[in-house]
Amino acid sequence: MAVASFEVMEFGVTKYGEKAKKFILKGAGGVVLEVSDYGGKVVRLFTPDRDGAMKDVVVGFDDPSGWDNGDPYWGCIIGRYGNRIAAGKFTLNGVDYQLPALNNAPGGIGCNLHGGARGWDAYVWDSEPFIDADDVGVVFKRVSADGEEGFPGKVEVCVKYTLTKDNVWRVDYEAVPDKDTPINMTQHVYFNFKGESGGTIEDHIMTIAASKVTPTDAGQIPTGEIADVAGTAFDFRDGMRIGERINEPDPQLEIGKGYDHNWVLDEGVMAGGKGGLIKAGGLYCPLNGRSVEVWTTEPCLQVYTANWASYDQKAKGGEHLSFRCGVALETQHAPDSPNKPQWPTTIVKAGEKYSSTTEFRFGAK
Ligand code: BGC
């Protein structure tokens, strides 16, 4: 077993004029994670294939400019509210709030996505790398001001990335608001076990431990229905190639241009399950054997197969990214929960602590 270690270096200046750093975390189990204090962005993540060969398996860039020119939230921490809030509106304690509603799918009326115009992904956070026995990681902190992006309440937020000797990347989120406010955080890493410029992820086998999904309207807002996946292109319970049914003439797949949907995890509290740290799903690349299992304390999983743009950007190797060049498995509460009182709440009360944990367990077989 290797010894856990880290290095710190400059990463460049963001479009907001903030100086960013990069941390190279070398795990005792061999996985190497490069992350920035710029929104906790994952720059590189090396995992072994079935022969032990290491490859960078995430979409990322050499410096902040890659993110600053057109960004579907590659590898970022998402907050204050991950995913969509319909029309950017919600009512809390009798007060109507209007958030920026800048995201719009064709046929939609606009919505708030991933925290607004400048979400938590777009700030340089305070950061502290650490080594704790065999673990290595970074603790990121920031204070979101009362009224930031239209949300009520100041929030003190802390996200801890830990890389363990067992090749687990654990993300622990904590946030304490000083007024009642919606909080729904996630990590938006896009995996491609062939490498970011290795073409589509349609050949990856995905599992999702969910027998229900929340269908959306044309603007990608959940209708409120909770639908069975059995017999549909959304049934990943036994594992299925992502591309197997992605192009079927299913109205939901047409709205998302592929998978861009929220599954309700069977073991999670929204489905009446036990909650706690539960298995959400995973990915496996038959070509090289790389795999990840995703475990979470969240009740839902949004899966997004990078459908919405041509992603005509140069990645780290100088090669162009392409349609469906990555897949994001985003653990979270259901989209538009502030407007769905029948679903588990995302409102965190003043002075109470929001906490959430997700683990990405890497392997090869
Ligand atoms: C959403 C997609 C969106 C993507 C990038 C995902 O979490 O579900 O609809 O296009 O993030 O912003």
Side-chain angles (χ1 to χ4, degrees):
M1 200 170 68
V3 174
S5 67
F6 66 81
E7 286 169 53
V8 188
M9 56 199 65
E10 287 182 6
F11 190 50
V13 178
T14 76
K15 69 175 172 189
Y16 303 99
E18 294 176 328
K19 259 177 104 173
K21 282 186 287 210
K22 184 175 85 170
F23 302 88
I24 302 181
L25 310 177
K26 295 188 176 154
V31 164
V32 176
L33 178 62
E34 291 185 19
V35 296
S36 174
D37 55 0
Y38 184 25
K41 298 174 196 306
V42 181
V43 179
R44 291 186 176 80
L45 171 67
F46 293 89
T47 74
D49 71 3
R50 60 167 73 92
D51 300 318
M54 304 299 280
K55 192 172 194 84
D56 172 20
V57 298
V58 297
V59 184
F61 303 91
D62 283 318
D63 58 58
S65 66
W67 280 274
D68 285 343
N69 305 314
D71 177 11
Y73 301 90
W74 306 115
C76 308
I77 295 169
I78 305 284
R80 169 177 319 195
Y81 194 93
N83 217 314
R84 294 182 164 81
I85 298 178
K89 288 182 197 293
F90 66 95
T91 302
L92 180 57
N93 301 331
V95 179
D96 294 333
Y97 291 91
Q98 176 67 64
L99 313 170
L102 302 171
N103 180 262
N104 205 359
I109 54 162
C111 65
N112 185 265
L113 177 70
H114 297 333
R118 187 178 181 190
W120 292 358
D121 59 287
Y123 288 86
V124 170
W125 295 46
D126 292 336
S127 56
E128 200 63 61
F130 69 88
I131 292 186
D132 182 4
D134 292 328
D135 291 345
V136 57
V138 193
V139 175
F140 297 111
K141 288 186 180 168
R142 83 172 285 266
V143 178
S144 170
D146 187 3
E148 189 181 272
E149 292 293 327
F151 287 97
K154 179 176 103 174
V155 184
E156 291 184 11
V157 46
C158 175
V159 179
K160 183 178 180 188
Y161 287 178
T162 306
L163 191 56
T164 77
K165 66 176 181 1
D166 302 314
N167 288 338
V168 176
W169 169 32
R170 189 170 65 242
V171 185
D172 294 301
Y173 307 84
E174 283 185 358
V176 181
D178 69 353
K179 291 182 186 160
D180 297 2
T181 195
I183 301 180
N184 191 28
M185 297 185 69
T186 194
Q187 221 300 337
H188 213 293
V189 62
Y190 290 79
F191 295 111
N192 184 333
F193 287 137
K194 299 177 295 183
E196 64 192 349
S197 42
T200 171
I201 43 65
E202 289 181 25
D203 59 353
H204 287 38
I205 293 171
M206 181 162 70
T207 50
I208 305 176
S211 43
K212 309 266 190 220
V213 68
T214 53
T216 73
D217 64 15
Q220 294 194 282
I221 302 297
T223 58
E225 186 198 350
I226 299 183
D228 283 323
V229 298
T232 74
F234 290 81
D235 191 349
F236 284 90
R237 287 173 294 180
D238 295 328
M240 174 165 70
R241 222 165 37 82
I242 292 176
E244 185 81 29
R245 300 184 68 171
I246 199 169
N247 295 319
E248 281 188 2
D250 174 314
Q252 284 297 313
L253 291 172
E254 281 163 17
I255 290 169
K257 285 180 70 186
Y259 295 108
D260 188 4
H261 293 82
N262 171 67
W263 276 258
V264 182
L265 300 171
D266 285 343
E267 287 188 83
V269 291
M270 184 162 166
K274 66 174 168 44
L277 190 68
I278 58 169
K279 187 173 172 188
L283 288 172
Y284 169 65
C285 182
L287 208 63
N288 53 49
R290 290 191 180 87
S291 67
V292 65
E293 277 186 10
V294 182
W295 290 68
T296 188
T297 58
E298 289 297 310
C300 297
L301 183 74
Q302 177 89 13
V303 173
Y304 176 54
T305 48
N307 313 311
W308 274 110
S310 65
Y311 302 131
D312 189 21
Q313 265 183 291
K314 278 190 186 163
K316 286 160 293 198
E319 287 183 63
H320 279 272
L321 298 175
S322 52
F323 184 57
R324 297 193 179 141
C325 59
V327 52
L329 275 64
E330 308 158 42
T331 54
Q332 55 191 240
H333 274 54
D336 202 33
S337 289
N339 296 306
K340 302 280 191 294
Q342 70 277 27
W343 289 355
T345 188
T346 50
I347 304 300
V348 183
K349 299 262 185 227
E352 289 186 359
K353 189 189 280 179
Y354 162 94
S355 57
S356 174
T357 292
T358 291
E359 291 187 354
F360 298 97
R361 303 181 181 179
F362 299 103
K365 54 193 172 201

